[in-house]
Amino acid sequence: MTAPTTARTARDLMHEGAECIDSTESVATAAAKMRSMDVGCLPVCGQDGKLAGMITDRDIVVECVARGRDLTTCMTGELAEGRPVYVDAGAPVDEVLRTMEQHQVRRLPVIENHRLVGMISEADLSRALSDEQMAAFCRSVYAGGHH
């Protein structure tokens, strides 16, 4: 059994260095960036630098490849439509977990002053949460999600 978390806020949980891809970049560029960074999703930012949404490897396959779309003309902004799910850097850990569970997401952008400052992934949670907290999170997210 691991000890309960000492993390108090999203900033304590997150890893820094999250990079946005511009909403006007092609899906081909996003896929190349995902490969080079060894990640399965990227935050998408608009021209103003603010978070516009997320694009996942699954989005690319389902919405572009499977539909026969040209990956060089399909833009990341097209796949990142809708209200982005994120958390403020100062949000308490229970709010982070609640947000991830409610939206059935395994990766959560962290915002401070309207700018992306980090990401929280399952790996980040597993380092900070107790075994019991992590088990409860996994049951909640995997029971009903496909993200």
Side-chain angles (χ1 to χ4, degrees):
M1 301 268 216
T2 57
T5 181
T6 57
R8 299 196 183 287
T9 66
R11 179 177 295 289
D12 298 329
L13 291 172
M14 73 180 199
H15 59 273
E16 295 180 348
E19 291 183 39
C20 266
I21 188 157
D22 194 276
S23 60
T24 60
E25 291 283 351
S26 73
V27 169
T29 300
K33 191 170 190 172
M34 285 181 186
R35 181 175 185 211
S36 70
M37 295 174 65
D38 193 27
V39 296
C41 75
L42 283 174
V44 178
C45 292
Q47 297 279 317
D48 57 4
K50 293 182 180 176
L51 184 69
M54 296 282 282
I55 182 173
T56 66
D57 46 11
R58 185 178 190 282
D59 294 333
I60 293 170
V61 171
V62 172
E63 297 301 323
C64 293
V65 176
R67 295 179 189 264
R69 296 183 67 188
D70 182 341
L71 301 184
T72 62
T73 60
C74 182
M75 298 299 124
T76 60
E78 296 175 47
L79 301 185
E81 294 175 348
R83 184 171 164 77
V85 176
Y86 63 88
V87 69
D88 187 81
V93 170
D94 63 335
E95 182 181 330
V96 170
L97 294 174
R98 199 168 44 250
T99 300
M100 293 176 84
E101 290 168 1
Q102 177 183 352
H103 295 279
Q104 299 285 295
V105 296
R106 297 177 297 187
R107 303 166 195 97
L108 187 65
V110 180
I111 304 296
E112 186 172 61
N113 297 323
H114 307 287
R115 295 288 183 258
L116 180 72
V117 293
M119 291 281 286
I120 297 172
S121 68
E122 288 174 304
D124 299 319
L125 294 179
S126 70
R127 284 189 288 273
L129 301 181
S130 70
D131 291 345
E132 294 80 10
Q133 289 171 307
M134 195 64 201
F137 170 78
C138 289
R139 277 193 303 273
S140 175
V141 170
Y142 289 102
H146 59 273
H147 295 270

